[in-house]
């Protein structure tokens, strides 16, 4: 029965970092001694628990995210990949990504991760400018970043790296030149994020005091447009707002999020969206859907604090903090929010199948007509797509569009 469902993606969260970067609000924690053995055992146990309730599904991707997964012992990574590929049925082209930081210690472990089964590395370079790396509180130099990239290229079949731009004081010319340098060493995929000020971070406090000033909107738009232009020169096309790839090299795991496919998330603070048989107590508003055999999509979230999560896994087999079935309109809202980030947009038939409502019923028709007229959105056959002008103001557009 479960083989009828789309293949599953698996996210595994490693919550530890060497230090906390001042801009970052990911679930990351600094510990003097990382309890490797305890977290290995707990992740394996929670994976087994999740697999048991999901049943034998096809598995298309595994993503080790963080935090800093390149602080995981390679034996832990090997055990989790082995467990996942026994508990589920891996597709022939299973994608296994590990996020890595580019310190020399971590680059020294790349070969062991490759031997463990990792076939894609995603490396957090952030910048190639020494002053910017200092400002971002990074623990590595630009030279170390380049060495780590070269080691990764020689080790993994696929690599990607992250840069943060639209930093305080960054000029268009400086960004073009940094990006060209990055593109010269890039392989098939890049994630290019504009710096955002996340509540609760050190940068948020500095921003409030006026000690950090972000580029104004016009500059941010110019930086975004220059980014796409430079990437296109090297054959890397934007397939999502912040992600660029050679056609065919897109991150399958991240595509699962944006296409609103099933993904299971284990480890502290991990989120998931998985199709389960309808739960008892499901709100009555969700009519049983004939076409999907009365299954429901549930949102899952694990305890964020690493030690609390580990204690729960040790006592209950899982560290679930909350699991809630998603009503049709919530699913519709989520699928639109994610899907319009993709260049390919949202497929109307798949939308109806995943959410139980039609695209027309989920969006405000007046706003849609206006957005079509302004060339923010377009219909391309049966797909609703955000055009470049729409992608620049996607957050505002979605807030108005989604009922
Ligand atoms: C899970 S995080 C970090 C992965 C890895 N620990 C690292 O630091 O390299 C994934 C990426 O999100 C981006 N990121 C995190 N916080 C950000 C922020 N406030 N603004 C823009 N990009 C951010 C960074 O590029 C980072 O590499
Ligand atoms: S950016 Fe990466 S290394 Fe820095 S705190 Fe966040 S997860 Fe950790």
């Amino acid at each position: 029965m479960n083989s009828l469902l789309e293949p599953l993606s698996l996210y595994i969260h490693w919550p530890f970092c060497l230090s906390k970067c001042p801009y970052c609000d990911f679930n990351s924690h600094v510990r003097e001694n990382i309890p490797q053995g305890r977290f290995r055992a707990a992740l394996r146990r929670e994976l087994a628990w999740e697999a048991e309730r999901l049943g034998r599904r096809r598995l298309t991707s595994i993503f080790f995210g963080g935090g800093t997964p390149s602080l995981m012992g390679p034996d832990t990574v090997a055990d989790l990949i082995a467990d996942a590929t026994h508990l589920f049925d891996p597709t022939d082209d299973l994608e296994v990504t590990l996020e890595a930081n580019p310190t020399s210690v971590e680059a020294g472990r790349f070969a062991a991760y490759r031997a463990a089964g990792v076939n894609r590395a995603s490396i957090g370079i952030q910048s190639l400018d020494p002053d910017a790396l200092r400002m971002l509180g990074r623990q590595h130099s630009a030279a170390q970043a380049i060495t780590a990239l070269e080691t990764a290229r020689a080790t993994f079949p696929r690599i990607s790296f992250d840069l943060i731009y639209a930093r305080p004081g960054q000029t268009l010319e400086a960004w073009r030149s940094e990006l060209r340098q990055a593109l010269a060493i890039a392989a098939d995929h890049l994630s290019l994020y504009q710096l955002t000020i996340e509540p609760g971070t050190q940068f948020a406090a500095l921003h409030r005091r006026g000690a950090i000033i972000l580029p104004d909107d016009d500059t941010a738009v110019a930086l975004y447009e220059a980014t796409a232009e430079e990437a296109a020169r090297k054959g890397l096309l934007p397939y999502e707002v912040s992600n660029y790839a050679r056609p065919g090299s897109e991150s399958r795991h991240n595509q699962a999020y944006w296409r609103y496919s099933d993904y299971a998330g284990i480890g502290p603070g991990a989120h998931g969206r998985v199709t389960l048989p309808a739960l008892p107590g499901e709100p009555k508003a969700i009519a049983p859907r004939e076409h999907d055999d009365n299954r429901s999509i549930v949102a899952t979230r694990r305890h964020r604090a690493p030690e609390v999560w580990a204690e729960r896994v040790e006592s209950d087999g899982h560290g679930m903090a909350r699991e809630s079935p998603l009503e049709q309109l919530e699913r519709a809202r989520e699928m639109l929010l994610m899907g319009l980030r993709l260049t390919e947009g949202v497929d109307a038939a798949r939308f109806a199948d995943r959410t139980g409502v039609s695209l027309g019923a989920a969006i405000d028709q007046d706003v849609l007509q206006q957005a079509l007229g302004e060339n923010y959105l377009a219909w391309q056959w049966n797909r609703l797509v955000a055009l470049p002008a729409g992608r620049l103001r996607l957050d505002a557009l979605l807030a108005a569009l989604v009922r």
Side-chain angles (χ1 to χ4, degrees), residues 18-19 68 70-71 100-110 123-125 138-141 144-145 147-149 151:
L18 288 179
S19 61
T68 305
S70 50
L71 296 176
N101 282 32
T103 70
S104 48
V105 180
E106 292 163 283
R109 280 200 286 262
F110 285 176
I123 303 173
I125 299 292
R138 300 294 292 179
Q139 300 284 320
H140 55 86
S141 64
Q144 276 176 318
T147 306
L149 275 178
T151 309

Side-chain angles (χ1 to χ4, degrees), residues 16-17 19-21 23-26 28 66-68 101 126 138:
F16 303 112
C17 290
S19 61
K20 183 79 187 174
C21 302
Y23 54 86
C24 175
D25 78 338
F26 282 85
S28 61
T68 305
N101 282 32
Q126 318 310 355
R138 300 294 292 179

Side-chain angles (χ1 to χ4, degrees), residues 235-254:
L236 298 184
L237 303 179
Y239 69 101
E240 189 268 348
V241 174
S242 307
N243 284 275
Y244 299 77
R246 260 180 241 297
S249 295
E250 298 84 359
S251 156
R252 201 167 327 126
H253 186 83
N254 288 336

Side-chain angles (χ1 to χ4, degrees), residues 60-394:
T60 185
S61 67
I62 305 175
F63 193 102
F64 293 92
T68 305
S70 50
L71 296 176
M72 293 172 89
D75 48 349
T76 300
V77 174
D79 283 349
L80 286 163
I81 295 172
D83 288 355
T85 51
H86 284 116
L87 293 164
F88 298 107
D89 291 326
T91 55
D92 290 341
D93 52 358
L94 179 73
E95 176 186 276
V96 185
T97 305
L98 182 125
E99 274 183 350
N101 282 32
T103 70
S104 48
V105 180
E106 292 163 283
R109 280 200 286 262
F110 285 176
Y113 292 133
R114 176 73 189 113
V118 173
N119 55 26
R120 184 172 179 276
S122 169
I123 303 173
I125 299 292
Q126 318 310 355
S127 174
L128 292 171
D129 175 276
D131 290 337
L133 285 173
R134 242 186 319 277
M135 191 271 293
L136 293 169
R138 300 294 292 179
Q139 300 284 320
H140 55 86
S141 64
Q144 276 176 318
I146 290 169
T147 306
L149 275 178
E150 282 164 356
T151 309
R153 280 192 82 147
T155 310
F156 299 101
R158 297 170 64 195
I159 66 161
S160 175
F161 59 91
D162 301 348
L163 294 179
I164 297 181
Y165 70 104
R167 305 183 302 252
Q170 190 176 34
T171 64
L172 192 56
E173 279 326 300
W175 171 233
R176 275 193 194 270
S177 133
E178 187 178 349
L179 185 54
R180 278 184 198 162
Q181 198 190 339
L183 284 162
I185 44 176
D188 56 356
H189 191 284
L190 277 182
S191 300
L192 304 170
Y193 300 109
Q194 294 210 348
L195 177 63
T196 49
I197 302 295
E198 303 291 351
T201 59
Q202 278 185 47
F203 270 19
L206 293 170
H207 187 247
R208 255 195 319 275
R209 292 209 303 270
I212 284 186
I213 299 172
L214 291 183
D216 60 30
D217 286 353
D218 288 349
T219 312
V221 168
L223 287 164
Y224 185 75
E225 286 171 347
T227 303
E229 228 173 80
E230 294 292 338
R233 271 186 224 241
K234 290 296 242 174
L236 298 184
L237 303 179
Y239 69 101
E240 189 268 348
V241 174
S242 307
N243 284 275
Y244 299 77
R246 260 180 241 297
S249 295
E250 298 84 359
S251 156
R252 201 167 327 126
H253 186 83
N254 288 336
Q255 275 180 329
Y257 299 153
W258 297 314
R259 289 178 175 162
Y260 209 52
S261 298
D262 272 13
Y263 61 96
I266 66 158
H271 288 255
R273 293 286 180 278
V274 286
T275 308
L276 292 180
L279 298 175
E282 194 177 36
K284 297 251 181 310
I286 303 179
R289 290 182 294 144
E290 282 164 20
H291 61 273
D292 74 352
D293 199 18
N294 197 20
R295 289 167 193 280
S296 97
I297 301 176
V298 297
T300 64
R301 180 170 56 76
R302 274 16 186 215
H303 287 284
R304 269 176 80 84
E307 288 76 15
V308 171
W309 169 84
E311 273 164 29
R312 296 296 165 89
V313 176
E314 285 154 2
S315 63
D316 305 337
H318 64 86
M320 191 77 79
R322 190 175 153 76
E323 174 169 295
S324 39
L326 293 165
E327 289 179 36
Q328 290 179 332
L329 279 180
E330 275 177 284
R331 284 181 239 157
R333 189 175 308 116
E334 289 193 337
M335 190 166 175
L336 264 176
L337 291 176
M338 301 306 268
L340 286 179
R341 298 181 62 87
L342 286 168
T343 307
E344 69 181 23
V346 178
D347 179 275
R350 189 159 177 277
F351 184 89
D353 190 50
R354 281 296 276 171
T355 67
V357 286
S358 68
L359 251 179
I363 54 189
D364 184 308
Q365 290 304 312
D366 292 340
V367 178
L368 175 64
Q369 289 313 320
Q370 215 178 323
L372 292 170
E374 302 269 3
N375 283 332
Y376 293 162
L377 295 176
W379 283 107
Q380 293 178 355
W381 297 99
N382 55 348
R383 314 184 75 88
L384 183 64
V385 172
L387 297 175
R391 242 175 287 148
L392 283 174
R393 38 181 75 72
L394 199 53

